[in-house]
Amino acid sequence: MAAVEVERAKLEANFRNLKLAGHVGFDSLPDQLVNKSVQNGFIFNILCIGETGLGKSTLMDSLFNTSFESNPSPHNLPSVKLKSQTYELQESNVRLKLAIVDTVGYGDQINKEDSFKSVVDYIDSQFEAYLQEELKIKRSLSNYHDSRIHVCLYFICPTGHGLKSIDLVCMKKIDTKVNIVPIIAKADTISKTELQKFKTKIMSELQSNGVNIYQFPIDDESVLDVNSQMNAHVPFAVVGSTDFVRVGNKMMRSRQYPWGTVQVENESHCDFVKLREMLIRTNMEDMREKTHGRHYELYRKKRLEQMGFSDVDSENKPVSFQQTCEAKRSTHLLELQQKEDEMRQMFVARVKEKEAELKEAEKDLHNKFDKLKKDHMEEKKKLEDNRKKLEEDILEFTRRKTQISQQSQHHMLTLGKSKKK
Ligand SMILES: Nc1nc2c(ncn2[C@@H]2O[C@H](COP(=O)(O)OP(=O)(O)OP(=O)(O)O)[C@@H](O)[C@H]2O)c(=O)[nH]1
Ligand SMILES: [Mg+2]
């Protein structure tokens, strides 16, 4: 902050102060700005985090004095879902596009460890959508429907005991992403003395766990007093109602009990009016500004760094966007070249491997062929030998047969001669 002021003083030292001789007209600049803003209308996005049935919808109806017509959520959802609904409201000539984002099923799961994840993802994806629009060549930010969350109303259960771990974990996870305004829901269920102790306990638990909640700004003198007073009342203990009871000649939002009536807008009954004043009448613009200038800026910075962009190089010298792009392009090309080389080498190695495999297979085939040939020759030779032997046997047989038949003829002749004698 001090460095910024030094810079501004340096700049101002270079300016010459001149007096105008008459009315020029640029004193209408604030009016021009107001007219333009009124013409464009405003966007405000509220995220309500709180357990099922904690009075989120009733409070929204009470805050904007209307009926948003919501349905009660079931208690048996397997995970937390975020549901966004957008409304167009008008007060005098000011149009407000209001989005109410609800955590459906929050706190209903047996394992609540991951309850914050859907919330974080939702907030981040709205930032991401805005960043993507901003990074487009042809941007249309002027008519872009900004869905970034401007405030998170965190509904605390009126237990009187302090925060639950789900509250601390969730608030810690989102405290750099969104303006958190913690509120004690259904504050009519807790007694006056208990409430004060409960508030102190909540604040000390938030502090000891390092949870940064939204502080109503005290840098603008016009709101310094009211905001610093209100900062001391946080967390606001609120009551909501959709019922009206006649008080005097006015119908007031109230909750009726056998022992009495709680008036939502009665400051001695609850902090509802304080919340409405701070949230809507005094600090709505500051929350919109902080969302863009602080939370979104942080998200943008992280994302651009993830993408490899930086304002300075490794030697802390400033680098332009173009230089970063060129450097990224050349490293990308280098990486591509390396990948291509690696692939080529891999391909050559694979081809060599396959060639060796094929050669081995060819050699095997040759060996097999030679063996088969040899076996075949041996078999052929054996057969030839057998054939020769057989032929010899046949010859021998014929020879013996002839010999025997000759011998028997001779014997017959000899027998005939001796008979004639
Ligand atoms: N005692 C008390 N009851 C309230 C208060 N606000 C709402 N309720 C009651 O709580 C019940 C649930 O209120 P909803 O406004 O529907 O709560 P919710 O958080 O929107 O509920 P889901 O959207 O279903 O998670 C209703 O019966 C309301 O009348 C309150 O300030 N005090
Ligand atoms: Mg609801």
Side-chain angles (χ1 to χ4, degrees):
M1 199 66 187
V4 176
E5 271 161 22
V6 170
E7 276 301 307
R8 193 181 296 156
K10 263 193 213 163
L11 268 176
E12 278 172 9
N14 291 331
F15 293 146
R16 278 171 61 204
N17 261 326
L18 295 182
K19 278 210 158 41
L20 304 177
H23 183 242
V24 182
F26 61 76
D27 58 353
S28 70
L29 263 175
D31 300 330
Q32 292 176 33
L33 206 63
V34 168
N35 290 340
K36 202 162 177 204
S37 302
V38 168
Q39 225 172 48
N40 291 342
F42 294 84
I43 292 179
F44 193 62
N45 304 321
I46 305 181
L47 167 64
C48 295
I49 307 184
E51 291 175 21
T52 309
L54 210 46
K56 302 181 290 292
S57 306
T58 312
L59 191 79
M60 286 302 112
D61 285 0
S62 311
L63 272 176
F64 290 92
N65 210 3
T66 185
S67 170
F68 293 115
E69 283 166 6
S70 60
N71 297 318
S73 314
H75 280 276
N76 55 0
L77 294 174
S79 63
V80 180
K81 296 225 159 37
L82 277 92
K83 197 178 83 187
S84 169
Q85 221 127 27
T86 312
Y87 307 90
E88 184 115 28
L89 309 177
Q90 181 152 359
E91 192 171 40
S92 313
N93 62 341
V94 179
R95 286 177 296 113
L96 179 71
K97 274 208 180 88
L98 176 75
I100 299 178
V101 184
D102 221 330
T103 49
V104 184
Y106 189 77
D108 285 334
Q109 295 72 37
I110 293 171
N111 182 355
K112 299 181 181 65
E113 248 174 56
D114 287 346
S115 300
F116 67 85
K117 265 205 186 117
S118 336
V119 179
V120 170
D121 288 349
Y122 185 86
I123 298 172
D124 279 349
S125 47
Q126 311 318 309
F127 282 151
E128 185 64 28
Y130 190 87
L131 179 68
Q132 289 307 324
E133 186 62 38
E134 225 183 34
L135 292 177
K136 274 185 189 167
I137 304 267
K138 202 170 161 227
R139 305 183 289 179
S140 47
L141 286 173
S142 54
N143 52 18
Y144 172 79
H145 183 84
D146 191 359
S147 58
R148 293 172 298 175
I149 300 295
H150 299 114
V151 66
C152 159
L153 288 181
Y154 196 96
F155 288 67
I156 298 165
C157 224
T159 56
H161 281 265
L163 292 167
K164 300 180 185 181
S165 42
I166 185 178
D167 302 331
L168 283 169
V169 171
C170 186
M171 280 197 257
K172 187 69 211 149
K173 291 282 176 193
I174 59 171
D175 71 349
T176 53
K177 297 176 184 289
V178 70
N179 300 312
I180 304 176
V181 175
I183 52 179
I184 298 170
K186 300 191 177 180
D188 53 329
T189 60
I190 194 163
S191 79
K192 211 172 172 177
T193 43
E194 273 176 342
L195 184 64
Q196 213 36 59
K197 279 189 208 144
F198 190 36
K199 278 192 180 188
T200 320
K201 183 129 197 249
I202 290 170
M203 289 316 280
S204 80
E205 278 182 352
L206 286 176
Q207 209 179 7
S208 59
N209 285 283
V211 179
N212 289 313
I213 57 165
Y214 174 68
Q215 295 287 316
F216 304 122
I218 46 170
D219 47 6
D220 173 0
E221 272 184 25
S222 61
V223 288
L224 172 89
D225 285 347
V226 61
N227 276 356
S228 45
Q229 259 179 42
M230 289 299 145
N231 275 328
H233 281 284
V234 173
F236 295 133
V238 295
V239 175
S241 178
T242 46
D243 297 336
F244 290 82
V245 174
R246 182 175 291 280
V247 179
N249 54 2
K250 232 177 147 190
M251 295 301 279
M252 303 288 274
R253 261 181 210 272
S254 312
R255 301 191 71 82
Q256 263 186 316
Y257 295 105
W259 55 88
T261 304
V262 182
Q263 291 162 16
V264 171
E265 295 185 53
N266 187 331
E267 285 208 56
S268 60
H269 291 187
C270 72
D271 299 332
F272 172 82
V273 173
K274 291 189 180 75
L275 175 70
R276 191 176 59 192
E277 287 284 318
M278 288 292 96
L279 200 69
I280 303 176
R281 194 175 285 182
T282 319
N283 297 308
M284 199 181 243
E285 186 50 28
D286 181 72
M287 287 188 276
R288 283 160 31 91
E289 249 175 53
K290 291 235 162 77
T291 301
H292 184 68
R294 187 180 287 173
H295 303 304
Y296 171 66
E297 203 57 26
L298 192 67
Y299 177 84
R300 182 179 169 279
K301 181 173 168 274
K302 273 192 199 152
R303 281 286 288 132
L304 291 183
E305 279 171 358
Q306 259 175 20
M307 290 180 205
F309 291 104
S310 169
D311 293 334
V312 286
D313 62 11
S314 52
E315 286 151 24
N316 229 17
K317 282 191 194 134
V319 279
S320 70
F321 188 77
Q322 193 188 346
Q323 281 170 316
T324 317
C325 271
E326 273 162 15
K328 269 207 93 70
R329 190 168 172 266
S330 46
T331 37
H332 181 66
L333 284 177
L334 206 76
E335 271 172 21
L336 266 181
Q337 187 64 44
Q338 270 174 359
K339 275 218 175 95
E340 202 181 315
D341 288 351
E342 266 171 34
M343 275 179 74
R344 192 173 296 135
Q345 276 169 8
M346 210 164 80
F347 180 71
V348 170
R350 286 291 299 274
V351 167
K352 273 189 186 158
E353 219 173 83
K354 265 273 161 285
E355 245 175 32
E357 268 174 32
L358 278 173
K359 265 191 189 145
E360 197 64 31
E362 198 184 338
K363 211 169 124 192
D364 275 1
L365 267 176
H366 272 298
N367 287 347
K368 255 185 209 157
F369 178 72
D370 286 349
K371 194 173 171 290
L372 274 175
K373 208 166 140 190
K374 207 172 132 202
D375 289 353
H376 176 69
M377 294 294 279
E378 273 170 16
E379 197 71 19
K380 202 173 158 190
K381 194 168 166 283
K382 230 188 254 172
L383 278 173
E384 194 63 28
D385 289 351
N386 283 348
R387 192 176 62 83
K388 270 185 193 157
K389 201 167 166 281
L390 197 68
E391 273 173 9
E392 274 167 20
D393 286 352
I394 292 168
L395 271 178
E396 176 65 16
F397 175 74
T398 349
R399 193 182 57 81
R400 291 273 298 270
K401 196 179 153 193
T402 334
Q403 195 183 9
I404 287 168
S405 69
Q406 277 173 358
Q407 267 178 5
S408 63
Q409 252 178 20
H410 179 73
H411 190 66
M412 290 278 282
L413 275 176
T414 329
L415 263 176
K417 268 183 196 173
S418 57
K419 263 187 187 171
K420 270 179 195 173
K421 270 181 197 174

